[in-house]
Amino acid sequence: MAINDELLEQVYHENCPGCKVDRRKRIQTGLPIKELICIWVVVLCVVLPISSLYPFIYFMVRDFNIAEKEEDISYYAGFVGSAYMIGRALSSVLWGVVADRYGRKPIIILGTSTVVIFNTIFGFSFNYWMAIITRFLLGFLNGILGTIKAYACEIFPQEYQALGLSATSTSWGIGLIIGPALGGFLAQPAEKFPSLVSSDSLFGRFPYLLPYLCISIFAFVVTIIAIWLPETLHIHKKAELESASDVRVAQDEEKDSTLLSLLKNWPLMSSIIVYCVFSLHDTAYTEIFSLWAESPKSLGGLNYTTEDVGIVLSITGVCLLLFHTAFFPIAVRIFGPLMVARISGVLSIPLLTAYPYIALLSGFILTFTLNLASIVKNILSISIITGTVMLQNKAVDQHQRGAANGIAMTLQATFNAIGPSCGGTLLSWSLKRQNVAFLPGAHMIFFLLNIIEGLGVLLTFKPFFIANRN
């Protein structure tokens, strides 16, 4: 049952975990560093298994020997990337309902435990279908992302709620960089470090296990930390609620928080749709970037190794962290979240158009240009996502944010499931078009990415997008 937060603050119930958190928030002073760190590591635990796959999925699918031609590897790779998102799309509403009934903390602990188990099993995949099924279960049994956004609103005092929500999207963006860097460095250790890892060892026989084992160890530590997280859900007996003098307010708020009322909230739904379109673009770009960079020069790629891609993404991650910590809050204060998202989307289009020409470079100029392009592109992408998340949460009252984030996660997971599969398929098709007159080779795939980005920019304008007037 949805309860008005102001009502719950007026009546304190000794055995209610949510009331205990509310009491602590009223007396807490200063920046809640501990809570911020907890949200950071939990979100990072979710995103690392998703993003660490991208640098080596090309080689992993190649080793499965399922693709008949080299050009078809990207096609099969896309479905491995999408399996996680399909699982998450099918279960996000379910985990949202469970979190509203039994609490946020159990869902967080279950999600991090799922990463420990199925992430490790994925590292032991010995054929294509084992990889697909494991990734699907990893997504289906993980309901953290929507829950942690509701948790971020409930654990922080009012003045820090925006910071808490920003922390979730920023951690997600950093994870999209750290994950591929981790996968790029640690995959195929027997080939990269033959003096340390033999081909007959465990990591030699399972060349993609090491990065996932490291992530699982991290997830295990996060699971232990999550045991001590405070529960924020208010759990009151019906008789206790009826004793409150202003229970009518709670009943009115309950009506307002139904699914139908949220679907009728166009400022919310328009911001969610814009968020999903940009998320589709970013998921497809993340998959395409690694596959394109690792494709042969003859097909318009860069002929990079997983380690090369890992270095690029590591540099990008450091710069992204510095920018988002120092400059993004200033940009939002000056322009507002909507304008930041809109400007970032516009600037991304000419940048993506230049990507195929980067493949014509070589040596230091290639390295410098690619790193610069990757840094700028990811800064723009995370600025868009963070801005749209802020708009999404401004469009509803605090007591509705849990349900609103559940809707957003279901739609986002659906869009994100499309991204890797379509991205891999379209890249495979694009690389076969080397000798056509119109947008040959990689020019076509980056043109298609620009269409999605342009659509997202257009949707930030009226009459489609209606900003919250509160």
Side-chain angles (χ1 to χ4, degrees):
M1 183 172 66
I3 307 294
N4 187 304
D5 293 314
E6 295 179 357
L7 170 65
L8 293 170
E9 290 178 2
Q10 294 171 7
V11 182
Y12 178 79
H13 302 277
E14 188 65 35
N15 296 321
C16 172
C19 286
K20 292 178 181 178
V21 170
D22 286 343
R23 172 179 284 184
R24 190 192 68 191
K25 288 191 296 185
R26 287 195 293 270
I27 63 176
Q28 183 178 5
T29 58
L31 186 67
I33 297 293
K34 184 174 69 174
E35 290 83 357
L36 277 173
I37 293 174
C38 288
I39 287 178
W40 256 81
V41 297
V42 169
V43 175
L44 202 59
C45 184
V46 177
V47 68
L48 288 180
I50 303 172
S51 60
S52 58
L53 175 72
Y54 296 129
F56 61 78
I57 184 59
Y58 182 91
F59 301 101
M60 191 180 199
V61 172
R62 183 197 63 186
D63 293 346
F64 288 148
N65 295 316
I66 193 170
E68 295 182 359
K69 299 179 181 179
E70 188 174 38
E71 295 91 333
D72 295 328
I73 292 176
S74 297
Y75 170 80
Y76 288 99
F79 290 103
V80 179
S82 292
Y84 177 96
M85 294 300 175
I86 293 172
R88 200 173 81 184
L90 293 176
S91 64
S92 290
V93 174
L94 169 65
W95 293 124
V97 171
V98 174
D100 284 339
R101 178 168 297 184
Y102 298 105
R104 320 302 189 198
K105 183 175 172 179
I107 303 303
I108 293 173
I109 294 175
L110 175 63
T112 56
S113 301
T114 297
V115 173
V116 174
I117 298 170
F118 288 97
N119 196 54
T120 304
I121 295 174
F122 177 77
F124 284 101
S125 296
F126 52 82
N127 63 44
Y128 182 73
W129 291 109
M130 180 179 177
I132 289 282
I133 293 171
T134 307
R135 293 284 291 185
F136 173 82
L137 292 174
L138 182 63
F140 186 84
L141 297 174
N142 197 320
I144 288 180
L145 200 56
T147 303
I148 199 66
K149 289 185 178 182
Y151 188 83
C153 291
E154 297 161 356
I155 196 66
F156 289 107
Q158 181 71 31
E159 62 268 26
Y160 293 116
Q161 285 181 4
L163 178 63
L165 288 169
S166 178
T168 62
S169 57
T170 305
S171 181
W172 177 269
I174 297 297
L176 289 178
I177 303 301
I178 295 176
L182 191 66
F185 281 124
L186 299 182
Q188 301 170 313
E191 295 182 17
K192 296 173 183 172
F193 316 108
S195 60
L196 299 176
V197 182
S198 69
S199 58
D200 296 328
S201 66
L202 178 66
F203 297 123
R205 289 182 287 114
F206 297 97
Y208 310 102
L209 171 63
L210 182 57
Y212 277 88
L213 188 60
C214 292
I215 293 171
S216 294
I217 293 172
F218 171 70
F220 179 75
V221 174
V222 174
T223 303
I224 301 300
I225 294 173
I227 294 174
W228 281 275
L229 289 177
E231 176 58 65
T232 59
L233 183 67
H234 286 273
I235 303 174
H236 301 163
K237 294 180 181 179
K238 184 177 180 181
E240 292 174 332
L241 289 176
E242 290 176 348
S243 67
S245 60
D246 50 356
V247 69
R248 185 180 301 276
V249 177
Q251 294 172 343
D252 292 340
E253 296 294 348
E254 181 179 5
K255 294 178 183 178
D256 291 340
S257 64
T258 61
L259 179 62
L260 182 60
S261 70
L262 289 174
L263 295 176
K264 290 180 178 179
N265 182 342
W266 189 244
L268 169 66
M269 295 308 300
S270 60
S271 62
I272 288 177
I273 293 172
V274 171
Y275 168 68
C276 289
V277 171
F278 283 121
S279 294
L280 168 65
H281 173 274
D282 290 346
T283 308
Y285 167 80
T286 303
E287 169 111 350
I288 288 168
F289 177 80
S290 295
L291 292 173
W292 166 70
E294 293 165 357
S295 297
K297 280 276 190 178
S298 59
L299 295 178
L302 305 180
N303 202 31
Y304 268 29
T305 64
T306 57
E307 187 175 6
D308 294 330
V309 174
I311 292 173
V312 173
L313 295 176
S314 296
I315 296 171
T316 300
V318 172
C319 295
L320 182 62
L321 179 60
L322 293 174
F323 173 83
H324 239 268
T325 302
F327 298 107
F328 180 77
I330 298 174
V332 169
R333 283 199 299 270
I334 295 174
F335 299 105
L338 176 60
M339 188 58 67
V340 167
R342 188 179 290 161
I343 293 173
S344 298
V346 171
L347 294 177
S348 295
I349 293 175
L351 179 61
L352 280 175
T353 303
Y355 265 62
Y357 299 100
I358 295 176
L360 302 177
L361 305 174
S362 62
F364 173 77
I365 297 298
L366 169 61
T367 303
F368 176 81
T369 306
L370 183 66
N371 276 280
L372 181 61
S374 178
I375 291 168
V376 175
K377 176 65 180 73
N378 281 278
I379 284 175
L380 295 175
S381 293
I382 299 305
S383 297
I384 293 170
I385 294 300
T386 306
T388 52
V389 167
M390 293 175 68
L391 291 167
Q392 172 186 314
N393 284 277
K394 283 183 177 181
V396 292
D397 295 328
Q398 184 181 359
H399 71 279
Q400 293 180 307
R401 283 176 181 156
N405 282 305
I407 296 172
M409 287 305 99
T410 298
L411 293 176
Q412 184 211 28
T414 303
F415 276 72
N416 284 356
I418 298 171
S421 58
C422 288
T425 301
L426 291 172
L427 177 61
S428 178
W429 170 69
S430 298
L431 295 181
K432 294 176 182 178
R433 305 173 66 259
Q434 295 296 318
N435 300 315
V436 299
F438 179 70
L439 297 174
H443 289 270
M444 174 58 76
I445 191 63
F446 289 107
F447 172 74
L448 295 174
L449 283 175
N450 272 334
I451 290 179
I452 301 174
E453 190 82 349
L455 175 62
V457 172
L458 288 176
L459 293 181
T460 64
F461 290 92
K462 294 181 180 180
F464 181 85
F465 186 86
I466 305 296
N468 182 38
R469 292 185 171 87
N470 293 333

